[in-house]
Amino acid sequence: MSASSTQALDYLESLPGVDHKKLYQLPSTVLAVFRRLLPHLAKTIVAAMLYMPGPLAATDLDAWIRPDAKAEKEQAVTLLQGLHILSIDQEIPSKPVYRLSPIFAKSLRQALTGGGNHRSFGIPCNTPETEKKDITFLDDYARQQWEAILYYMVASTGAGLRSAAEISTGTKILLSTGNFVTNKNSRVSITQVGFTFLLQEVNAQIWSLLVVYLNNAKSLQMEHVDIISFLFMLGSLELGQDYSAENLTPTQKHMLDDLNDFGIVYRPSPSSPVFYPTRLATTLTSDGSALSNTSLSSTPTSAPAAGKGYIIIETNYRLYAYTSSVLQIAVLNLFTKLKTRYPNLVAGQLTKSSVQRAIGYGITSDQIISYLATHAHPQMAKSNPVLPPTVVDQIRLWQIEGDRMKATHGYLLKEFGSKDEYADAVAYAGNLGVLVWKNDVKRVFFVNRIEQMKTYMTNKAAAVKKGKD
Amino acid sequence: MVRATKGVLVQCDASIKAIILKIDAGNSDFIIEELDDETLLVKENKLKELQMLLKKQLDDTLKYPEESDSD
């Protein structure tokens, strides 16, 4: 799964069950969750149970899953339970059964087979062909708006950057609420979070911003369930088609203005009854790339040629970038010591201090490496591996040198009664994927999340108590 | 009865651990528990301070060769 879907998933998991119930009433939301957010095993489980008349016995589910994939099964089931898609019923303690949420199942069946009058997939308008906006126009609009936001963020790092389009005050406030930029002495400067944000791919960037938007919704008196179902609906719309804004709730109408500012939707005029989803919207819940890499080029009219790279790195850590885009140069400047700039080329060098400075900002070596690899010049991309191994290794070494200790937040569990109790708990934590460190001799272990472990311990303690009675 | 302690698990070399112990000896406010030669449990709200002190200590003791700009 890509980074973008993880963010949406984390947000969704943090919502209470009541919100999930409301969300799952719309087929478009359910379909988006199903096809985009769930890992494959979870999809398989849901799909298998979708048309089942009754609940599924836990032993039957275990029989389906190969014994060596037990860890994956635990993770999938935990996730489905967290999203309130699957619930476990322990009326008869010896025979627990799994039940698919009826609301979720009904909506998913409706989404897959059609029917119903839910209108959750948008209502197309029938504007005459001549007045319609074409896809090229929408792409340009989306790119221009989104780049304006990125420009605004990096403008603080280098002089001489000028923005192509102005962004609204609302968006500026949102960026500082999300801690992407800070306002110090009325000067905007970028933060660690902002740097990480910049190096992400566009789809992940959009979700990062939207999650901030969602968290911020309460203060704007907006209903976050409305927002998220609208976002999922946008993901199912068709590019180049115009949709009616008349049936939307007040919250969603308000959102249109904000999304228009991000370049996620386009409205011909602020009071227009129609809106067009742009490519940024239609890829919200799909794997497709929102804007190709060239989107960061300074000429907004450049054709979106797929993944045209511009960076060359030599084994002596020298870096040449064929670009005249101020935004790209600013990004490179985060981790490179730039020396010369020509009309279509900048030259510089990766040095220990430049890379460690970037790491100090909160950028990881892997982010730098993946940025360099994805934007490698076609000539570089021909070789395998794309980047010189010495350079990759050195960047990693510089990072390790910078942080000599690895810190993980979480909980230390200790004082287990017996060896078996300890072994069971460790095995369970391992299957959940939360185990970070263990010491079998001292019978202690460390987990990065405690919620599931707590339930497990309580159940276990109850079972032991029962056994004694 | 099993007990859970909230904190930050710090994994590092034995040498780094020795430095952390030395820092902690000054004002024993950081470490909750020493787990083994390469692992420590540290108070969550003190992590930033500890990282800073560690970096300072390392910068003072280790000298890196100057980077050449000429090549």
Side-chain angles (χ1 to χ4, degrees), chain A residues 332-374:
Chain A
L332 283 176
N333 193 30
L334 298 178
F335 53 81
T336 322
K337 187 173 179 187
L338 294 176
K339 284 177 181 160
T340 345
R341 180 171 174 190
Y342 301 105
N344 67 339
L345 171 81
V346 284
Q349 193 167 18
L350 289 171
T351 65
K352 184 173 150 177
S353 59
S354 74
V355 169
Q356 287 198 338
R357 188 189 58 214
I359 288 164
Y361 288 143
I363 302 171
T364 67
S365 59
D366 286 334
Q367 278 175 319
I368 298 176
I369 293 164
S370 85
Y371 184 85
L372 292 174
T374 38

Side-chain angles (χ1 to χ4, degrees), chain A residues 249-407:
Chain A
T249 65
T251 294
Q252 292 172 343
K253 276 186 183 150
H254 181 82
M255 267 182 83
L256 276 184
D257 294 335
D258 295 330
L259 295 181
N260 186 43
D261 204 46
F262 300 160
I264 294 176
V265 298
Y266 171 75
R267 301 182 82 185
S269 75
S271 55
S272 166
V274 298
F275 68 92
Y276 295 85
T278 68
R279 207 180 286 278
L280 293 179
T282 54
T283 49
L284 271 179
T285 56
S286 77
D287 279 319
S289 170
L291 296 170
S292 55
N293 296 330
T294 45
S295 71
L296 293 176
S297 90
S298 62
T299 46
T301 47
S302 62
K308 191 175 168 298
Y310 61 94
I311 299 173
I312 289 180
I313 301 176
E314 294 179 340
T315 46
N316 57 7
Y317 311 110
R318 285 190 187 214
L319 183 145
Y320 305 92
Y322 287 91
T323 176
S324 51
S325 149
V326 273
L327 183 55
Q328 281 174 336
I329 295 172
V331 171
L332 283 176
N333 193 30
L334 298 178
F335 53 81
T336 322
K337 187 173 179 187
L338 294 176
K339 284 177 181 160
T340 345
R341 180 171 174 190
Y342 301 105
N344 67 339
L345 171 81
V346 284
Q349 193 167 18
L350 289 171
T351 65
K352 184 173 150 177
S353 59
S354 74
V355 169
Q356 287 198 338
R357 188 189 58 214
I359 288 164
Y361 288 143
I363 302 171
T364 67
S365 59
D366 286 334
Q367 278 175 319
I368 298 176
I369 293 164
S370 85
Y371 184 85
L372 292 174
T374 38
H375 295 90
H377 193 277
Q379 286 293 339
M380 292 258 307
K382 276 184 201 162
S383 57
N384 183 30
V386 177
L387 301 176
T390 48
V391 176
V392 173
D393 290 346
Q394 188 61 66
I395 294 176
R396 292 224 169 91
L397 285 174
W398 279 331
Q399 158 147 345
I400 295 170
E401 213 169 277
D403 60 347
R404 299 292 288 269
M405 56 187 228
K406 197 171 150 238

Side-chain angles (χ1 to χ4, degrees), chain A residues 141-156:
Chain A
Y141 178 77
R143 185 173 304 133
Q144 181 199 327
Q145 290 303 104
W146 195 252
E147 272 186 23
I149 294 177
L150 299 182
Y151 269 119
Y152 173 75
M153 292 178 61
V154 286
S156 51

Side-chain angles (χ1 to χ4, degrees), chain A residues 85-99:
Chain A
I85 295 172
L86 202 67
S87 60
I88 187 159
D89 202 335
Q90 291 187 323
E91 268 170 29
I92 315 158
S94 56
K95 276 189 199 162
V97 291
Y98 288 111
R99 224 183 272 280

Side-chain angles (χ1 to χ4, degrees), chain B residues 1-28:
Chain B
M1 190 56 206
V2 183
R3 276 208 305 147
T5 318
K6 196 170 190 252
V8 179
L9 188 79
V10 169
Q11 291 163 296
C12 54
D13 300 346
S15 59
I16 299 294
K17 192 198 157 198
I19 300 176
I20 297 179
L21 287 182
K22 196 178 143 202
I23 295 172
D24 190 66
N27 51 342
S28 51

